[in-house]
Amino acid sequence: MPEVTIDKKLIKSILHSMTGRYLVYAVQLLSMMILARMFSPETFGIFAIIQVFSVFFALVSEMGFGPALVNEAKIPKEMRDGIYSFTWILGVFVSIIFFAASPLISWFYNNEIYQYLVIPVAISIIFNTAIIVPLASFNRDKKFISIARCEAIAEVISIVVVLVSLYYLEPIWALSLKPLTVAFIKYILVVLGSKNTEIGMPWFGKELSHTYKILAFSKHQAGFNFLNYFSRNLDNILVGKYLGTVSLGIYDKAYQLMRYPLLLLTFAMSPAIQPVMMELKNDLYKFETLHNKFIIVISIIGLFVGVVICFLSEEIVYILLGEQWYGVTPLLEILSVSIPIQIVMSTSGGFYQAAGRTDLMLKCGLFAFCTNVTGIVIGVLMNDLELLSWAIVFSSFVNYIQCYYIMGKYLLPSGAWHTLKRILTTLIGVALMFFMVVK
């Protein structure tokens, strides 16, 4: 297939993905602005702890099946229904384990409330797991706007549920209903909508053996997700334990604001990369050419966004969160230095997946796990949120170089040095941002 055709398909797919995701992120941003003024940093800190663990159990239940199903050439009805049944069984099983672990979470944080906060979040995991197959059917058909519509509706309904619940429940319990509402509404909408996709709406089937067929692909993806979870969430676990829930609430909001550009750019693009680029996985020279064009553009955008957030961090915090979150400003300014790196690096997974090299993703994830954990532990031991933020920045810098070294050496035909030259602009820009912040 001519390269120009793939170029246009990738651009079209990315535009559709970004349009859909922006709808969702606009609603989520509005949600954050409303809830940040309704709940205190301590309440958010308490709930952030349970959310950290829910993300872990959600990753365990996902097992990398989503990208594996997108990568599958053909999915017959028997495979679709067999895997769908398996996701329900897995979701219930993981949810029970999560609930059983609640006494340990309560013991670790010395707060019995977590034994009860687990209940609504654990139930949400069941729906988040059961949605894997119908959501993959949307992604295979590149129906990103349809997915976004479902997520936006679920988010709006969840805000209404939380605000109404505040009249009848304590703030922490009202907040705990949000993930459950989002998961349930999104599941209903996506399952019903999947009947209009190529593989159709799934139903319960008996042939669970089809699950084994996609495990060869998904096992590396699942391993990467597992390592990536601890790389990105160990800081919240340890900050909540040793620095307190107020510190966690402030740090979590700073990290959340830092990640918004990733959501608006690369996370919005990533679902579009795999289904289009996989058409070039057998022609790695064309694959590399298109990859390099993409990297140059996204690097420039990443640097611009990072610099803007660095200089306007105080205004951003005041507008989005309000005066009670003033402690977020210095942390956001530091974390903004890593934004250009993280924007580019977050797209790398789509290219690894498209080439069928999730094994290389796993290698990158293992390296990032080691560097991130080392930095996080040092920051927490020093009892300093700003030092912890700098540790995140430094580990991102190192992981960025390693990620593209691996891609160049083992995937792209021109080699590691040629690939590293493509990211040199970002590295220099981030170094200059570092000196601007520490001056």
Side-chain angles (χ1 to χ4, degrees):
M1 183 173 290
E3 181 185 342
V4 65
T5 303
I6 295 295
D7 279 354
K8 290 180 179 178
K9 287 180 69 174
L10 180 59
I11 293 172
K12 182 180 179 180
S13 184
I14 286 176
L15 288 176
H16 281 189
S17 179
M18 292 181 69
T19 301
R21 296 316 301 170
Y22 285 172
L23 170 63
V24 176
Y25 297 149
V27 176
Q28 290 178 340
L29 183 61
L30 177 63
S31 171
M32 183 183 70
M33 292 174 67
I34 293 172
L35 298 182
R37 288 161 171 79
M38 301 295 294
F39 299 95
S40 68
E42 183 178 11
T43 300
F44 270 109
I46 292 173
F47 191 66
I49 289 173
I50 208 68
Q51 280 287 81
V52 165
F53 289 99
S54 73
V55 170
F56 170 73
F57 285 98
L59 284 177
V60 170
S61 63
E62 203 274 340
M63 291 183 66
F65 279 1
L69 288 169
V70 174
N71 211 57
E72 194 69 24
K74 186 177 181 180
I75 301 179
K77 179 177 180 296
E78 295 76 15
M79 174 186 284
R80 178 198 70 191
D81 294 345
I83 296 174
Y84 179 67
S85 298
F86 179 80
T87 59
W88 265 100
I89 295 170
L90 182 63
V92 172
F93 177 74
V94 171
S95 182
I96 291 173
I97 296 220
F98 185 24
F99 179 74
S102 60
L104 290 177
I105 299 173
S106 295
W107 167 80
F108 186 73
Y109 290 101
N110 193 30
N111 194 335
E112 291 185 359
I113 195 172
Y114 294 115
Q115 294 191 50
Y116 307 101
L117 280 179
V118 161
I119 296 174
V121 181
I123 297 173
S124 72
I125 290 175
I126 299 176
F127 294 107
N128 285 330
T129 307
I131 204 176
I132 291 173
V133 174
L135 193 59
S137 68
F138 273 89
N139 281 317
R140 283 173 64 90
D141 291 0
K142 305 177 185 68
K143 293 187 174 183
F144 307 117
I145 295 178
S146 298
I147 296 173
R149 189 181 300 116
C150 297
E151 293 182 349
I153 292 172
E155 185 71 25
V156 170
I157 293 175
S158 73
I159 297 173
V160 174
V161 169
V162 170
L163 294 180
V164 171
S165 299
L166 272 174
Y167 288 99
Y168 306 98
L169 302 173
E170 292 294 324
I172 189 63
W173 300 111
L175 190 60
S176 71
L177 295 178
K178 188 175 187 297
L180 175 56
T181 305
V182 170
F184 177 72
I185 299 298
K186 181 181 173 182
Y187 168 79
I188 296 296
L189 296 175
V190 170
V191 169
L192 292 177
S194 65
K195 65 182 179 181
N196 298 318
T197 62
E198 180 184 352
I199 67 174
M201 185 170 69
W203 193 245
F204 295 102
K206 298 179 181 179
E207 300 184 30
L208 303 182
S209 59
H210 287 286
T211 303
Y212 295 109
K213 184 176 180 180
I214 62 172
L215 279 177
F217 182 97
S218 67
K219 65 183 181 182
H220 293 118
Q221 179 75 44
F224 171 80
N225 289 345
F226 181 82
L227 292 171
N228 192 50
Y229 163 81
F230 282 104
S231 295
R232 292 189 177 274
N233 291 281
L234 183 63
D235 47 357
N236 282 352
I237 294 173
L238 296 182
V239 169
K241 169 65 175 177
Y242 296 106
L243 277 67
T245 54
V246 174
S247 294
L248 176 57
I250 292 173
Y251 175 78
D252 185 59
K253 275 291 177 283
Y255 199 88
Q256 187 177 352
L257 290 178
M258 180 273 291
R259 283 174 62 83
Y260 258 103
L262 277 71
L263 296 175
L264 294 174
L265 293 170
T266 54
F267 288 0
M269 297 178 186
S270 293
I273 294 174
Q274 184 190 358
V276 175
M277 291 299 295
M278 63 183 292
E279 298 180 25
L280 291 178
K281 65 181 180 181
N282 294 321
D283 189 344
L284 290 180
Y285 285 97
K286 289 183 179 179
F287 186 99
E288 180 180 26
T289 299
L290 192 51
H291 168 269
N292 289 343
K293 290 179 180 178
F294 179 84
I295 286 297
I296 291 173
V297 174
I298 199 65
S299 296
I300 295 172
I301 294 174
L303 283 170
F304 174 77
V305 173
V307 170
V308 169
I309 292 180
C310 181
F311 281 103
L312 299 179
S313 56
E314 184 174 351
E315 290 78 6
I316 290 172
V317 171
Y318 179 78
I319 293 172
L320 297 184
L321 301 180
E323 294 182 356
Q324 66 172 331
W325 296 91
Y326 68 92
V328 170
T329 300
L331 303 184
L332 178 60
E333 184 176 325
I334 295 171
L335 291 172
S336 68
V337 177
S338 71
I339 287 176
I341 287 175
Q342 299 209 44
I343 282 179
V344 178
M345 190 163 58
S346 294
T347 65
S348 64
F351 291 98
Y352 280 123
Q353 291 166 346
R357 296 305 307 269
T358 51
D359 58 319
L360 296 180
M361 279 184 63
L362 182 58
K363 289 182 179 180
C364 293
L366 181 60
F367 182 87
F369 171 80
C370 295
T371 56
N372 288 345
V373 168
T374 300
I376 289 168
V377 170
I378 292 174
V380 172
L381 287 177
M382 296 298 292
N383 195 29
D384 189 333
L385 289 179
E386 292 192 12
L387 181 59
L388 173 59
S389 300
W390 278 121
I392 298 295
V393 172
F394 180 75
S395 64
S396 297
F397 190 90
V398 176
N399 295 337
Y400 184 58
I401 296 173
Q402 185 264 352
C403 174
Y404 284 97
Y405 172 80
I406 291 291
M407 184 180 290
K409 183 175 181 179
Y410 296 104
L411 176 58
L412 303 180
S414 295
W417 174 240
H418 184 269
T419 303
L420 290 176
K421 286 194 295 185
R422 297 293 176 181
I423 65 169
L424 190 59
T425 302
T426 310
L427 295 175
I428 294 173
V430 167
L432 293 175
M433 287 181 65
F434 168 79
F435 288 112
M436 286 190 299
V437 173
V438 299
K439 66 180 178 63

